[in-house]
Amino acid sequence: MYEGPLQDVIDEFSRLPGVGPKSAQRIAFHLLQADPRDVDRLASALNRLQQGVHFCRICNNISSEDVCRICADSSRDATTVCVVEESKDIQVIERTGEYKGRYHVLGGALDPLNGVGPKELNVTTLVQRIGGRVDDVPSADGTLPEPPVIGEVIIATDPNTEGEATASYLGRLLKDFPGLTVSRLASGIPMGGDLEFVDELTLSRAFEGRTPVR
């Protein structure tokens, strides 16, 4: 244990996900020996993180404006919404270049043991979007266009216990919307993987999502 501010910094870094005590100690000592200007830039960036980051009022993605760039992009397919747990998941999907629709960020997944229920997630706004009461980005002349008719909701929550529970809940919640297709992002055996190392949930999903051999 160190004394004073050094130990305080180590303790704070240790609270971050994926940072253990030894890593926190290395970071703290690096900052202690770093150029003061570098430390000031880091401190300034952390302050701006709380003050300058906003969430899109439509999809809840991280944004510097009231509406994020994806929701404001008229070239995106407004009739398809991909539901993800966190904003970071959007970046993963965008890197594939395959998806051209819009998104909806839940802000987590159902986890009753830790007190996370539907009310703690952005579920209500998703239902409102499907009802056409949120996607009202003004056009260039300032007028509001007719809200798009959402034809498909793609559920892309994580393939774990919480993600599967969230997907099942959303499927039940949205199944009665007329004309709406609710799909689940397929998952299965990873390329280059060995069957003996695949977990039961992944293997079950692979069987459910099997496709014909052409």
Side-chain angles (χ1 to χ4, degrees):
M1 293 287 289
Y2 299 92
E3 295 182 358
L6 178 60
Q7 186 60 48
D8 293 339
V9 171
I10 293 174
D11 291 341
E12 291 304 316
F13 277 123
S14 297
R15 296 172 56 190
L16 298 176
V19 179
K22 290 185 178 179
S23 296
Q25 181 175 302
R26 285 195 296 269
I27 296 171
F29 271 96
H30 171 77
L31 293 176
L32 185 63
Q33 300 166 6
D35 187 306
R37 290 173 295 182
D38 293 337
V39 178
D40 288 341
R41 278 198 300 272
L42 175 61
S44 177
L46 291 174
N47 285 328
R48 292 199 304 274
L49 181 64
Q50 289 290 329
Q51 300 170 2
V53 173
H54 306 283
F55 294 93
C56 175
R57 65 175 173 80
I58 295 175
C59 72
N60 201 48
N61 186 21
I62 291 174
S63 175
S64 59
E65 305 293 338
D66 184 47
V67 175
C68 74
R69 59 178 179 81
I70 294 178
C71 287
D73 186 350
S74 60
S75 68
R76 307 284 300 213
D77 181 7
T79 67
T80 305
V81 175
C82 181
V83 179
V84 297
E85 293 181 17
E86 304 288 353
S87 293
K88 58 184 175 61
D89 300 326
I90 293 179
Q91 305 307 316
V92 176
I93 297 174
E94 286 294 288
R95 284 199 295 268
T96 68
E98 294 293 326
Y99 180 66
K100 304 302 181 183
R102 295 184 178 178
Y103 295 92
H104 190 86
V105 182
L106 292 174
L110 293 177
D111 187 2
L113 293 179
N114 289 311
V116 180
K119 292 183 178 180
E120 282 68 48
L121 303 178
N122 296 307
V123 174
T124 300
T125 51
L126 175 62
V127 174
Q128 290 174 342
R129 290 185 70 181
I130 297 171
R133 296 192 296 275
V134 177
D135 279 359
D136 54 352
V137 182
S139 57
D141 60 3
T143 60
L144 294 176
E146 288 296 320
V149 177
I150 295 176
E152 181 180 10
V153 171
I154 304 170
I155 302 175
T157 51
D158 291 340
N160 53 28
T161 303
E162 292 79 12
E164 291 296 322
T166 305
S168 296
Y169 172 79
L170 292 177
R172 294 192 303 270
L173 182 68
L174 303 177
K175 66 182 179 64
D176 293 329
F177 274 82
L180 179 67
T181 298
V182 181
S183 59
R184 177 81 163 100
L185 198 66
S187 64
I189 302 170
M191 293 296 293
D194 293 328
L195 197 62
E196 62 179 306
F197 299 119
V198 177
D199 63 274
E200 290 83 357
L201 178 59
T202 300
L203 193 55
S204 296
R205 291 287 299 277
F207 270 105
E208 292 173 2
R210 65 187 183 276
T211 56
V213 177
R214 295 180 176 85

